[in-house]
Amino acid sequence: MARPDKAAAVSELTEQFRNSTAAVLTEYRGLTVAQVKTLRRSLGENAKYAVVKNTLTKIAANEAGITTLDDLFNGPTAVAFVTGDPVESAKGLRDFAKDNPNLVIKGGVLDGKALSADEIKKLADLESREVLLSKLAGAFKGKQSQAAQLFQALPSKLVRTVDALRAKQAEQGGAE
C-alpha cells in the first residue's frame, strides 16, 4: 500500500499535468541551487519548475493520460509545468541551456502531443502568442483596407466614366 505522502505527491503532480498546457522534462545534473533558481525566474510567471522523483512523476503522468513520456523518466529529472504561453517557457529553457550546458532538455508534451527535445527548441524559435496574434490582426486590417479601397474605387471610376461620356457627348453635340 502506498504511503500517504507519496500518494499526495502523485495526486499533486497529476493535477499539475492536467492543468498545464505543456510540460517539459529536463535533466539538471550538475546545476547548482543558484542556477536552478535563475532557471525558475527565466521561465516566466506562467511556469513552475519542479525537481521530481521519476517513479512518482511517471505514475502521475499516466494518471493524467500522458503515456508518451515514460521513456524520459531516467536520471535526475525536473519538470517545467507551463500554464501560459509555452513559447515563452521554451525560450527560457533554450536560452538557459545555451549558457548552462548541464541543463539537458529531454522532451515534453504540448496539449497532449509528445514533443522531442528538437521540437521544443523549434517551439522556442517561434514568436510569442501575442506577437503572432498582433501580426494576424494587422494582416486582417490590411485586407479590409484593400477591400475598402477596391469598393471605393469602383463607384468613383464609374462616376469618372459617366462624366467622360457626358463630356464626349457634349462635344459631339456641339460639333454638329
Side-chain angles (χ1 to χ4, degrees), residues 17 39 46 48 59 64-65 70 78 85 91 115 125 139 148 170:
F17 274 113
L39 172 58
N46 297 323
K48 180 183 177 195
I59 292 168
D70 288 354
D85 185 10
K91 283 181 184 190
L115 297 176
D125 292 337

Side-chain angles (χ1 to χ4, degrees), residues 37-112:
K37 191 174 183 180
T38 302
L39 172 58
R40 284 186 172 119
R41 277 194 229 114
S42 71
L43 292 177
E45 295 177 8
N46 297 323
K48 180 183 177 195
Y49 189 73
V51 174
V52 296
K53 291 190 178 281
N54 288 333
T55 307
L56 300 179
T57 309
K58 185 176 180 179
I59 292 168
N62 289 332
E63 285 183 10
I66 302 168
T67 57
T68 56
L69 302 176
D70 288 354
D71 297 338
L72 303 178
F73 291 112
N74 50 39
T77 303
V79 182
F81 294 103
V82 182
T83 54
D85 185 10
V87 173
E88 178 185 354
S89 298
K91 283 181 184 190
L93 284 168
R94 178 200 59 198
D95 294 345
F96 187 87
K98 281 182 186 175
D99 297 334
N100 300 284
N102 287 333
L103 180 75
V104 177
I105 299 171
K106 295 180 178 183
V109 63
L110 173 65
D111 292 327

Side-chain angles (χ1 to χ4, degrees), residues 85 91 126-138:
D85 185 10
K91 283 181 184 190
L126 290 176
E127 293 174 331
S128 70
R129 183 177 189 275
E130 290 77 21
V131 171
L132 292 174
L133 286 174
S134 65
K135 285 185 175 183
L136 182 64

